[in-house]
Amino acid sequence: MLVEIDVAIIGAGVIGLATAREIAQEKKGVFVFEKNRTFGLETSSRNSEVIHAGIYYPEDSLKTRFCVEGKSLLYELCDRHDIAYRKLGKIIVAANEDETAQLEKLYEQGRRNGVEDLMPLSRTELKKIEPNVEARAGLLSPSSGILDFYTLLKFLYSQAREKGAKFVFGTEVIGIERMGAKYRVEIRDREGISAFISRVVINAAGLNSDRIAQLAGIDVAKAGYKLHYCKGEYFSLSSKYRNVVNRLIYPTPEQAGHGIHVTVGLDGRVRLGPNARYVEEVDYRVDETQKKAFYNSVQRFLPHIELEDLDPEFAGIRPKLQGPGEAFRDFVIAREEKASLPSLINLIGIESPGLTASPAIARYVGRMVDELFA
Ligand SMILES: Cc1cc2nc3c(=O)[nH]c(=O)nc-3n(C[C@H](O)[C@H](O)[C@H](O)COP(=O)(O)OP(=O)(O)OC[C@H]3O[C@@H](n4cnc5c(N)ncnc54)[C@H](O)[C@@H]3O)c2cc1C
């Protein structure tokens, strides 16, 4: 007889942790399986730590909906539970006429998305609040901020455990097979291979989420679930630039990312990045030959920086549904009824703004789980 549980969550990144916190209750057997030795060692700890406002994406997308909702929930959570953050604001800057036109479009998009506090800035207004930034115009988003991802992840982990979720680290899910209304889930840990039965399976496996869907029998290519890895590297600026800017400074966005931006850590340290390069494998090394490209990109709006003041820092990988040159793709958050897997919930392509959106995504998945247990 195999052990039977109620919910198996695959992955202990921010999405798996927030979901576990949302759905865990004493009566429900919620287990989180994580292949690494602890939570949050992949994309959730390799990002810009920015609480996004929700400006960039189409108004009817899940990215916008959950980013706008998640931002409020996240600030509330940080306030209530002493999670370090700063709502320092962000400015998207334009260097020329074309980019200024792009700012106008972003302003309109942001308003359509329900981001009511955006403020266009002239060059003079920008200079007054960011004297070291050089640009033709700017768009201020006062509600953007930064947070300490580790405190957030630790808080979600602790609360999920307090509410009864069990975490199984060092355990990789290697098979999912439908058995009537339930699933047989195969796992591999240090002891070998074993299996259990779960009523509901939630796939929050980040960079592996397309493979998990495939394991469950979904034709990933046909479903449009194939992930493309898009690497984002960061360089730090030497400590002499501490507080060189007062806010997050972003260029106008690129096709695959938000553009190499300048973030200020909670300690005032300044970081540049990420770039956006499609890659074949998960490899977190920073390619130092990218340094000049970073410098050229940021020097356009922060002209005083010197090339030798940049140091390679870290990299993250975006789990993108959108391949190179392809059009916008939204998050996939789906109960797989069409694939005859009604109690498999897939979360695929949870790239930026996934950190911001995490509490809202968790709520949404929580409602799906409630329906399944109703
Ligand atoms: C460069 C970069 C910058 C970003 N900046 C921001 C930002 O500023 N603001 C923002 O809101 N968002 C940002 N994001 C997006 C955000 O980081 C992600 O959306 C979010 O962290 C995704 O969390 P996750 O839990 O889905 O994935 P992950 O954190 O990758 O977690 C998935 C987990 O699943 C585990 N797993 C995988 N396969 C298996 C298996 N078979 N069995 C068991 N466990 C498994 C993995 O080990 C991993 O721990 C950024 C992303 C990148 C890459």
Side-chain angles (χ1 to χ4, degrees):
M1 272 289 278
L2 293 179
V3 171
E4 200 164 321
I5 66 172
D6 290 317
V7 183
I9 299 176
I10 308 169
V14 71
I15 300 298
L17 293 173
T19 304
R21 171 180 178 262
E22 184 72 29
I23 64 175
Q25 343 167 334
E26 280 307 331
K27 286 183 287 164
K28 211 181 269 162
V30 175
F31 286 73
V32 182
F33 296 87
E34 169 55 57
K35 66 179 167 58
N36 293 327
R37 64 182 160 76
T38 189
F39 60 84
L41 293 183
E42 304 219 358
T43 311
S44 298
S45 54
R46 297 175 165 278
N47 56 62
S48 303
E49 299 178 285
V50 173
I51 301 178
H52 287 296
I55 304 168
Y56 296 100
Y57 316 102
E59 59 271 27
D60 53 357
S61 64
L62 295 179
K63 283 185 177 172
T64 291
R65 173 178 163 190
F66 294 139
C67 184
V68 172
E69 196 185 318
K71 172 184 64 175
S72 308
L73 291 173
L74 209 47
Y75 280 129
E76 223 180 279
L77 205 74
C78 290
D79 277 333
R80 207 162 338 122
H81 300 283
D82 267 344
I83 298 166
Y85 78 92
R86 271 178 71 201
K87 198 189 259 186
L88 73 179
K90 142 178 169 177
I91 304 176
I92 309 172
V93 293
N96 53 40
E97 215 170 301
D98 284 351
E99 291 182 3
T100 308
Q102 227 182 313
L103 283 192
E104 281 160 27
K105 284 191 187 142
L106 285 174
Y107 176 72
E108 293 306 330
Q109 186 63 57
R111 305 270 303 171
R112 280 199 295 278
N113 293 358
V115 188
E116 305 286 349
D117 57 357
L118 296 176
M119 283 165 59
L121 300 174
S122 66
R123 184 175 189 279
T124 318
E125 288 165 328
L126 177 67
K127 271 276 167 214
K128 231 186 249 172
I129 56 172
E130 292 291 352
N132 295 318
V133 175
E134 200 50 60
R136 193 174 185 269
L139 182 63
L140 173 66
S141 164
S143 64
S144 303
I146 47 166
L147 90 166
D148 172 15
F149 75 80
Y150 183 72
T151 333
L152 172 70
L153 297 183
K154 193 154 178 278
F155 163 77
L156 296 172
Y157 170 64
S158 306
Q159 274 229 327
R161 285 188 60 189
E162 275 166 32
K163 292 172 82 183
K166 305 275 187 300
F167 284 79
V168 192
F169 292 121
T171 302
E172 185 181 3
V173 171
I174 56 168
I176 302 173
E177 189 189 336
R178 187 174 156 191
M179 292 185 71
K182 301 177 184 171
Y183 299 92
R184 179 182 183 275
V185 180
E186 199 166 65
I187 49 178
R188 179 169 48 213
D189 61 15
R190 270 200 295 178
E191 317 270 287
I193 292 175
S194 55
F196 61 88
I197 303 288
S198 187
R199 266 180 84 178
V200 173
V201 174
I202 300 176
N203 169 13
L207 294 166
N208 268 339
S209 51
D210 57 344
R211 280 179 227 162
I212 294 288
Q214 182 100 41
L215 284 182
I218 292 175
D219 182 338
V220 165
K222 214 159 140 199
Y225 289 175
K226 171 97 188 69
L227 286 176
H228 305 269
Y229 293 164
C230 184
K231 188 165 180 173
E233 292 156 308
Y234 293 86
F235 282 73
S236 60
L237 262 191
S238 91
S239 56
K240 73 179 184 213
Y241 295 100
R242 201 168 277 260
N243 301 320
V244 66
V245 291
N246 303 308
R247 294 165 189 77
L248 310 168
I249 308 293
Y250 279 58
T252 48
E254 299 165 348
Q255 203 257 348
H258 293 156
I260 296 176
H261 44 264
V262 178
T263 57
V264 190
L266 289 166
D267 56 0
R269 263 164 28 103
V270 178
R271 179 187 291 155
L272 313 180
N275 56 356
R277 296 195 292 127
Y278 280 93
V279 293
E280 292 301 318
E281 287 173 6
V282 175
D283 175 351
Y284 291 121
R285 282 173 298 185
V286 176
D287 176 359
E288 293 200 31
T289 65
Q290 297 292 319
K291 183 166 166 168
K292 190 75 174 43
F294 269 71
Y295 171 75
N296 288 341
S297 176
V298 173
Q299 204 255 355
R300 286 194 327 141
F301 54 90
L302 219 50
H304 307 301
I305 62 167
E306 308 281 348
L307 182 63
E308 62 267 24
D309 293 327
L310 275 68
D311 277 313
E313 202 178 14
F314 69 92
I317 314 254
R318 303 170 183 87
K320 266 192 173 303
L321 285 164
Q322 170 192 333
E326 288 174 10
F328 170 82
R329 287 290 305 274
D330 205 356
F331 293 151
V332 167
I333 305 177
R335 266 181 64 186
E336 295 295 347
E337 277 148 327
K338 268 196 252 149
S340 303
L341 301 164
S343 43
L344 169 68
I345 301 173
N346 271 326
L347 292 121
I348 304 178
I350 312 297
E351 52 161 333
S352 194
L355 189 67
T356 312
S358 57
I361 292 178
R363 258 196 193 176
Y364 184 70
V365 174
R367 284 197 291 272
M368 287 179 170
V369 172
D370 285 345
E371 279 165 25
L372 287 167
F373 281 94

